[in-house]
């Protein structure tokens, strides 16, 4: 087994961070799926999918206006607007804007959406500095992944609820991927039943993330561990997330169009996904712990 001095380990980590920032910037500019249109559709009840093929956006509709989760890149805003209109609603009726976490692929379009709709922007407390600095305060990508900064109207805390016209969403802090990464839960009435929806923020450990001796995020490993405990505790019928590949969007959508029983009602798929992501986190943590000795 190869061993490294502390200086060698630090140098390797810094190099990994730099490379991951470059890779993320390239992905943001070049991942075609993230900006590729995808059919807008009703998931269940008043919950709609209005995102691209690679980036997930959700519209929760009410008689008093609507809630939008995630703003994506600025370039995605016209796509989101068109999707909202395709399912029969006015973009200007969006009253509340939420995000899953403060990375540019989920929040860079927020300033534009606020300007177009006047929506109230609500963000989990630990992600507020990143949002209001336009990404510059991000522990991992602050040197390269910048976007228009925007003022947060309401600072959220773990367990806070967001309500509009009878819709109630609960903000669950699931940190690690970002310090304020948020998993949204709500109850959806559809087809004579009520379903627990979980929109996973992100449990992923990105390439280059330092889980051991991270000076910019000392408790990152503890936060990831907490996230998995939270996710495992949540009741879930409707399994959704910040990216379509978390919950099998492209495979499930054709099944829904074919008239199958709602494939997004997938509690077992949710459990498998959380378990697989936790195993991946623990493998990476163990690898870095060994390398740091």
């Amino acid at each position: 087994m190869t061993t490294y001095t502390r200086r060698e380990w630090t140098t390797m980590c810094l190099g990994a961070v730099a490379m991951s920032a470059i890779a993320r910037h390239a992905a943001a500019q070049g991942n075609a799926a993230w900006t590729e249109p995808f059919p807008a559709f009703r998931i269940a009840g008043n919950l709609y999918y209005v995102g691209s093929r690679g980036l997930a956006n959700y519209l929760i509709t009410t008689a008093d206006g609507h809630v939008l989760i995630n703003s994506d890149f600025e370039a995605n805003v016209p796509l989101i607007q068109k999707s909202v209109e395709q399912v029969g609603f006015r973009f200007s009726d969006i009253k509340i804007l939420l995000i899953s976490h403060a990375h540019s692929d989920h929040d860079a379009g927020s300033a534009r959406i606020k300007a177009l709709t006047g929506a109230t922007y609500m963000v989990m407390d630990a992600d507020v500095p990143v949002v209001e600095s336009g990404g510059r305060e991000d522990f991992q990508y602050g040197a390269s992944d910048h976007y228009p900064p925007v003022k947060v109207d309401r600072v959220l805390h773990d367990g806070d609820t967001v309500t509009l016209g009878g819709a109630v969403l609960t903000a669950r802090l699931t940190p690690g991927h970002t310090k304020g990464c948020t998993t949204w839960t709500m109850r959806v009435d559809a087809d004579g039943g009520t379903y627990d929806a979980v929109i996973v923020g992100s449990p992923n450990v990105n390439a280059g993330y330092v889980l051991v001796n991270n000076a910019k995020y000392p408790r990152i490993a503890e936060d990831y561990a907490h996230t998995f405990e939270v996710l495992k505790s949540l009741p879930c019928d409707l399994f959704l997330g910040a990216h379509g590949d978390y919950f099998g969007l492209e495979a499930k959508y054709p099944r829904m169009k074919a008239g199958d029983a709602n494939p997004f009602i997938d509690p077992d798929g949710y459990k498998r996904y959380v378990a697989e992501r936790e195993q991946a986190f623990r493998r990476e943590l163990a690898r870095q712990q060994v390398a740091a000795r």
Side-chain angles (χ1 to χ4, degrees), residues 125-266:
D125 50 2
D127 270 355
V128 170
V130 181
V131 167
E132 293 191 337
S133 68
R136 289 164 178 80
E137 293 298 317
D138 183 82
F139 74 91
Q140 184 78 2
Y141 305 117
S144 62
D145 195 14
H146 301 160
Y147 47 86
V150 58
K151 183 78 172 85
V152 172
D153 301 304
R154 178 186 170 191
V155 177
L156 300 171
H157 307 280
D158 185 28
D160 280 355
T161 57
V162 173
T163 61
L164 181 68
V168 180
L169 294 95
T170 301
R172 299 302 304 266
L173 177 63
T174 47
H177 189 74
T178 67
K179 294 180 181 181
C181 187
T182 306
T183 291
W184 289 100
T185 64
M186 64 178 294
R187 306 203 80 191
V188 178
D189 295 325
D191 302 321
T194 301
Y195 300 93
D196 288 301
V198 177
I199 303 172
V200 178
S202 181
N204 292 336
V205 179
N206 281 5
Y209 270 30
V210 178
L211 302 176
V212 178
N213 301 324
N214 187 328
K216 291 188 176 181
Y217 192 174
R219 58 170 295 109
I220 185 171
E222 291 87 349
D223 277 0
Y224 267 113
H226 172 73
T227 282
F228 288 109
E229 292 306 309
V230 171
L231 293 177
K232 287 185 289 187
S233 76
L234 297 177
C236 178
D237 300 309
L238 287 163
F239 169 30
L240 305 165
H243 287 270
D245 58 6
Y246 291 4
F247 57 96
L249 170 68
E250 291 187 72
K252 290 176 177 175
Y253 175 72
R255 291 167 50 196
M256 173 172 270
K257 292 293 288 182
D260 291 356
N262 193 329
F264 298 97
I265 300 175
D266 188 11

Side-chain angles (χ1 to χ4, degrees), residues 13-58:
C13 289
L14 290 173
V17 169
M19 289 303 294
S20 69
I22 293 169
R24 181 173 179 79
H25 183 72
Q29 299 301 315
N31 190 327
W34 286 3
T35 55
E36 183 178 330
F38 193 85
F41 66 97
R42 185 201 300 264
I43 298 168
N46 65 335
L47 176 61
Y48 294 80
Y49 187 87
V50 292
S52 66
R53 185 163 70 88
L55 299 177
N57 304 79
Y58 302 94

